[in-house]
Amino acid sequence: MKTYSSNFWKLSFSMLLFTTSYNIVIPEMNAFLTDLGSPGLKGLIIGLFTISAGFSRPFSGKLSDIIGRKKVMLIGLLISVAVCSLYSFAFAAWFLLTLRFLHGFSVGFYPTGATALITDILPEDKRGFGMGLWGTFISIGMGLGQGLSSFIVDIGNRDALFFTAALFTALSYILYFNVKETLAKPAKFKWSNLQIKSDEIIEPSVIPVAVVMFLSAMCSGIILVLSPDISDHLHIENKGAFFIFYVMATILIRLVTGKVSDTYGRRQTLVVGMVILCISMILIGLSKTESWYYISSIIFGIATGIISPTIFAWTADLSPKNRRGRGTGTMFIALEFGVLSGALSTDLWYQNNLESIWNVFLFGAGMAFLCILYLLWHLKTKKAKH
């Protein structure tokens, strides 16, 4: 652990708090939208969020390579605390969905700058394990947020939930404030920096990573939309319980297998993770009891614990040093549009009909299998650093 600087740990804990802040509101969003009279728009809760996050990535990626990682992160923090504070005032479905769209910009900026900064810090020969640690903090934030959501609403109300989300963002800022900038010579912001050229939207060197991220993220989009409703169907009071078991599994597997991709290769490790992801989607779709649902979430957590840090490390491997922000942005664009595609596909087939859940998860398993085929093809035909 001494390999990693205090900068690494401060930023990791800041990321944990930030991730908690935007995940803590998710389990209650389906019910909130239903109360506002629009249950058929549940897919847009995740969909609009990911559209704005994906749209902002080319800008945040470019800016982090020009004006600095920290300034880009600050934009995300400010948007997050503002939107979390406004959720309580959502009086109609269109207002709530507008806030979800705006909230996505915060995730489009903060993680892009933070991941580029982490990449600058990590030693190349320990990048896989370091990204595993980094991802562990993200996973804890996701699980903590999802797990606390229903509990806070039960002892308080939704207003208390949104206040807590804003508070977590503010705590994230305190740690962020003490993080040191890693970009050697940050330039002053110019409005011309917002002019995005075609070669600044996608970093070509990380396209293989983007393909893998897109296909795997579709599975996450499905789960984010359906897990609250599956919990209701199985009479599970805590709508974020799925993610509690998921996080415990993903943390454990990250710590145990963090060095695997450094030793055996990124693509080989990803094939294993995708096989487990495919299995987990089938099992979740077949879940008929609370215990089976939790077992499925653990298997999903194992898959994510293998896939996520490997994707982050592979992105760092392939990104040119002077374009790490853009490389990170490209990877996150694939993440957002994968989640979006999964969410919208769910909206199309689910339509609040529990009998159609199996078809949705079978589709997710198909995307994971398609990713396995792509990785096997890439291993056979392409030479890569890892």
Side-chain angles (χ1 to χ4, degrees):
M1 298 296 181
K2 293 181 180 179
T3 303
Y4 307 110
S5 65
S6 62
N7 222 25
F8 175 89
W9 297 112
K10 290 173 186 175
L11 185 55
S12 294
F13 279 103
S14 177
M15 186 66 179
L16 185 158
L17 293 166
F18 179 82
T19 306
T20 301
S21 75
Y22 71 83
N23 273 282
I24 203 169
V25 302
I26 293 175
E28 287 298 319
M29 282 293 163
N30 282 3
F32 196 3
L33 195 59
T34 298
D35 290 346
L36 292 173
S38 300
L41 300 178
K42 290 176 182 177
L44 293 179
I45 290 170
I46 301 298
L48 290 172
F49 183 90
T50 55
I51 287 173
S52 58
F55 176 78
S56 64
R57 297 293 184 185
F59 298 94
S60 60
K62 179 180 179 179
L63 288 173
S64 71
D65 288 334
I66 296 174
I67 66 174
R69 320 308 194 193
K70 287 194 65 177
K71 290 178 182 176
V72 167
M73 293 163 61
L74 180 60
I75 294 171
L77 287 168
L78 293 176
I79 294 172
S80 179
V81 74
V83 172
C84 289
S85 300
L86 288 171
Y87 275 131
S88 293
F89 299 96
F91 58 88
W94 68 264
F95 190 16
L96 177 62
L97 293 174
T98 299
L99 291 175
R100 289 299 295 164
F101 180 77
L102 294 175
H103 203 169
F105 283 101
S106 70
V107 178
F109 275 83
Y110 183 92
T112 301
T115 304
L117 198 155
I118 282 290
T119 302
D120 294 337
I121 294 172
L122 291 175
E124 186 173 349
D125 62 337
K126 294 181 175 62
R127 188 170 283 159
F129 185 70
M131 285 299 183
L133 284 175
W134 171 243
T136 297
F137 283 91
I138 295 173
S139 295
I140 293 172
M142 183 178 185
L144 184 62
Q146 299 267 353
L148 284 175
S149 182
S150 295
F151 174 74
I152 293 172
V153 172
D154 287 343
I155 63 172
N157 52 34
R158 285 197 188 123
D159 289 344
L161 178 70
F162 300 139
F163 171 80
T164 304
L167 178 61
F168 273 112
T169 305
L171 294 173
S172 176
Y173 172 79
I174 293 173
L175 285 170
Y176 149 90
F177 186 77
N178 293 294
V179 171
K180 295 179 181 178
E181 175 64 62
T182 55
L183 189 66
K185 296 180 180 179
K188 290 184 178 180
F189 171 79
K190 297 179 182 178
W191 287 107
S192 59
N193 296 150
L194 298 179
Q195 296 175 358
I196 303 296
K197 300 177 183 177
S198 58
D199 64 345
E200 293 173 334
I201 298 175
I202 300 295
E203 171 53 47
S205 64
V206 301
I207 286 177
V209 179
V211 172
V212 174
M213 176 61 93
F214 174 80
L215 292 172
S216 63
M218 290 185 74
C219 298
S220 297
I222 291 170
I223 289 171
L224 284 170
V225 173
L226 287 181
S227 59
D229 284 13
I230 295 175
S231 296
D232 281 341
H233 175 63
L234 296 176
H235 306 293
I236 301 171
E237 292 185 8
N238 189 335
K239 297 172 186 176
F242 177 94
F243 291 93
I244 295 175
F245 287 91
Y246 153 81
V247 165
M248 289 190 295
T250 197
I251 290 173
L252 178 62
I253 201 69
R254 284 175 193 271
L255 295 176
V256 172
T257 65
K259 297 180 181 180
V260 170
S261 72
D262 288 331
T263 305
Y264 297 102
R266 312 300 188 205
R267 295 172 295 171
Q268 292 87 341
T269 305
L270 284 169
V271 170
V272 174
M274 289 298 168
V275 169
I276 299 173
L277 178 63
C278 186
I279 294 170
S280 73
M281 295 301 286
I282 293 172
L283 293 178
I284 296 170
L286 292 173
S287 295
K288 301 297 182 183
T289 64
E290 183 176 349
S291 59
W292 193 249
Y293 185 52
Y294 291 152
I295 290 171
S296 302
S297 72
I298 290 170
I299 297 173
F300 178 71
I302 291 171
T304 305
I306 294 171
I307 294 167
S308 181
T310 307
I311 285 180
F312 275 69
W314 198 18
T315 302
D317 296 336
L318 298 180
S319 299
K321 189 173 182 179
N322 64 329
R323 291 174 66 89
R324 281 178 176 164
R326 293 172 178 86
T328 300
T330 299
M331 182 265 293
F332 276 121
I333 288 171
L335 168 65
E336 259 91 57
F337 280 96
V339 171
L340 172 65
S341 298
L344 294 183
S345 297
T346 302
D347 225 22
L348 179 65
W349 289 331
Y350 174 47
Q351 297 182 343
N352 287 305
N353 179 11
L354 290 168
E355 294 180 359
S356 66
I357 283 178
W358 164 244
N359 293 329
V360 180
F361 279 96
L362 186 61
F363 169 74
M367 294 301 100
F369 182 72
L370 183 60
C371 191
I372 293 168
L373 295 179
Y374 173 77
L375 284 165
L376 292 175
W377 169 81
H378 198 276
L379 273 165
K380 186 175 181 179
T381 61
K382 306 290 183 181
K383 292 182 179 180
K385 186 175 180 181
H386 287 277

